[in-house]
Amino acid sequence: MTTIDPVENLATLIRCPSVTPAEGGALAALEAMLVPLGFAVQRVAMSAPGTPDIENLYARIGTEGPHLMFAGHTDVVPVGDAAAWTHDPFAAEIADGQMYGRGAVDMKGAIACFAAAALGHMADRGWIDKGGLRRGSLSFLITGDEEGPGINGTPKVLEWMRARGEAPDACLVGEPTSSKAVGDEVKIGRRGSVTVRIIVHGRQGHAAYGHLAENPIPKLARMIDRLSSTPLDAGTPRFQPSSVEATVVTVPNSAGNVIPASARAVLSVRYNDLHTRPAIEAWVRDKCEAVARELEARFDLAFAGTHEVFVTEPGPLAAAVSSAVEKVTGRTPALTTNGGASDASFIRGLCPVIELGLRNATAHQVDERVPVADLLTLTAIYRQLIEAYLG
Ligand SMILES: [Zn+2]
């Protein structure tokens, strides 16, 4: 059951061990919260060859516009070193005014707050016993595959929604965007993200007879250096500079006197609104080909990642979110585009999207936790937004 208390809702969700791709009971728990409020809840299962089957959820109340959708995920990252946690990561214990648990801020907390805010909005008007919402529509798009490959999650649910004519007017994503205080940062865009895999091919041989072999390691090293040390840009008014970070280097070799046959690297490129995905791929290829000509390298490149750069230019949605934050906290939020990729980049194709959630300080960490006071603040902000948006 949903309660008007986000803390209780969050405890219910944290106690479901929904580490991607496991549903863990989290979507069932959310369904049990939303049905009594009058939401029509649909569980949307998706699968694809070579990827885990994923459960998602779409719930809507109301049939008319304006239609405000809340989007997020109930899946969580693994707990890591379980013994290092001060409190059981799936027990939702409260100590010193903070609730501990995996997903507390990323992002079961925001789901718990939005459910509480929706209930509060309807209960205040005496609508709960009269079938729920009487003006506009509210919906939830909740995936179980945001922290994983993301293939059977939000992008597929959006296709499913399109096929059914579900077209929200605006979307709020509940990722933990806040920094020092709840509502201090609202994301209006995100950089795009591409993963680059490079394999440089060589010829195995004796380290003492290098001229009879072909060592791929110096060639790969120069490619990594070239990609890492050539600036893509200096940033734009809305975005920080694009960046290239080498994250993995591997050589299938354990013998110190053997030149290996190949060397591999993975790089993570984050690009801003000066670039497109094809242009980034062409830039990477160009840099690698230049090195290949200098050092006579043979290489293969592969690109992965589906998050495109996007920005929602400030308009009615950003104004409504800013004003909700101001009413509750007295602070004007900064509209930023920093941080990692999120599902907002998929939703952008459907409707204007903005992100506002809890503070991200402990996301993905051991002892992930959220102050109870933050849950109350975020619920109040969401409630203001619902009231302003639905009128
Ligand atoms: Zn998240």
Side-chain angles (χ1 to χ4, degrees):
M1 219 185 80
T2 326
T3 73
I4 203 145
D5 178 8
V7 184
E8 212 172 303
N9 296 341
L10 177 55
T12 303
L13 293 174
I14 285 179
R15 288 176 187 139
C16 303
S18 50
V19 177
T20 330
E23 185 269 337
L27 292 176
L30 181 61
E31 180 172 0
M33 289 179 198
L34 297 179
V35 167
L37 301 188
F39 279 85
V41 179
Q42 307 198 58
R43 298 280 284 277
V44 187
M46 291 292 174
S47 56
T51 60
D53 293 352
I54 293 291
E55 289 201 50
N56 306 281
L57 176 150
Y58 179 72
R60 177 172 176 174
I61 187 167
T63 51
E64 293 166 1
H67 176 178
L68 177 64
M69 179 166 82
F70 175 88
H73 59 93
T74 47
D75 63 321
V76 295
V77 296
V79 298
D81 182 2
W85 284 69
T86 321
H87 300 270
D88 179 339
F90 298 112
E93 287 169 15
I94 296 179
D96 295 328
Q98 308 201 80
M99 180 175 282
Y100 285 73
R102 178 55 87 223
V105 295
D106 189 6
M107 55 160 278
K108 290 175 171 175
I111 297 172
C113 291
F114 201 84
L119 170 59
H121 174 74
M122 293 188 274
D124 244 25
R125 288 161 177 72
W127 289 348
I128 292 293
D129 297 330
K130 296 178 189 142
L133 203 60
R134 303 297 283 274
R135 186 189 239 162
S137 296
L138 285 174
S139 61
F140 286 79
L141 187 182
I142 306 295
T143 176
D145 187 21
E146 199 275 342
E147 304 286 11
I151 293 176
N152 294 313
T154 300
K156 286 202 176 165
V157 182
L158 290 171
E159 278 173 37
W160 178 93
M161 285 176 64
R162 276 199 187 91
R164 280 158 187 75
E166 288 291 323
D169 298 298
C171 177
L172 175 75
V173 173
E175 288 290 349
T177 57
S178 300
S179 174
K180 297 205 160 47
V182 174
D184 62 355
E185 273 192 48
V186 170
K187 306 271 179 241
I188 56 165
R190 297 274 189 164
R191 290 188 297 177
S193 171
V194 188
T195 301
V196 182
R197 288 172 204 282
I198 307 175
I199 303 178
V200 175
H201 306 284
R203 195 168 65 252
Q204 187 177 323
H206 196 302
Y209 301 97
H211 62 287
L212 298 176
E214 183 189 342
N215 194 338
I217 294 177
K219 300 174 183 185
L220 178 66
R222 194 176 296 185
M223 284 181 190
I224 294 171
D225 178 55
R226 188 68 49 86
L227 291 167
S228 307
S229 61
T230 312
L232 270 155
D233 56 71
T236 74
R238 288 260 170 245
F239 286 88
Q240 59 194 129
S242 304
S243 64
V244 180
E245 293 292 344
T247 50
V248 180
V249 177
T250 50
V251 176
N253 185 29
S254 56
N257 57 356
V258 174
I259 292 169
S262 68
R264 298 159 186 253
V266 180
L267 298 96
S268 175
V269 182
R270 307 297 168 125
Y271 62 94
N272 63 29
D273 54 347
L274 289 174
H275 310 275
T276 60
R277 168 66 178 269
I280 290 291
E281 292 189 10
W283 182 87
V284 169
R285 190 170 293 284
D286 187 59
K287 294 285 168 286
C288 291
E289 277 170 0
V291 169
R293 283 192 297 275
E294 291 162 26
L295 300 180
E296 294 184 17
R298 295 173 291 127
F299 70 99
D300 286 312
L301 272 181
F303 300 94
T306 47
H307 291 282
E308 294 279 355
V309 58
F310 81 95
V311 64
T312 299
E313 283 303 332
L317 179 59
V321 172
S322 294
S323 130
V325 171
E326 278 161 27
K327 277 196 182 119
V328 173
T329 69
R331 284 183 303 268
T332 305
L335 306 180
T336 67
T337 60
N338 56 28
S342 87
D343 279 356
S345 65
F346 304 126
I347 298 166
R348 181 67 189 101
L350 189 68
C351 64
V353 58
I354 206 160
E355 301 177 63
L356 167 61
L358 294 161
R359 291 192 277 153
N360 50 34
T362 61
H364 294 203
Q365 294 185 8
V366 161
D367 275 347
E368 181 174 350
R369 61 195 180 276
V370 60
V372 165
D374 283 7
L375 294 171
L376 302 179
T377 302
L378 187 64
T379 301
I381 293 171
Y382 283 170
R383 179 111 174 245
Q384 281 290 339
L385 177 66
I386 291 171
E387 274 158 27
Y389 202 84
L390 300 192

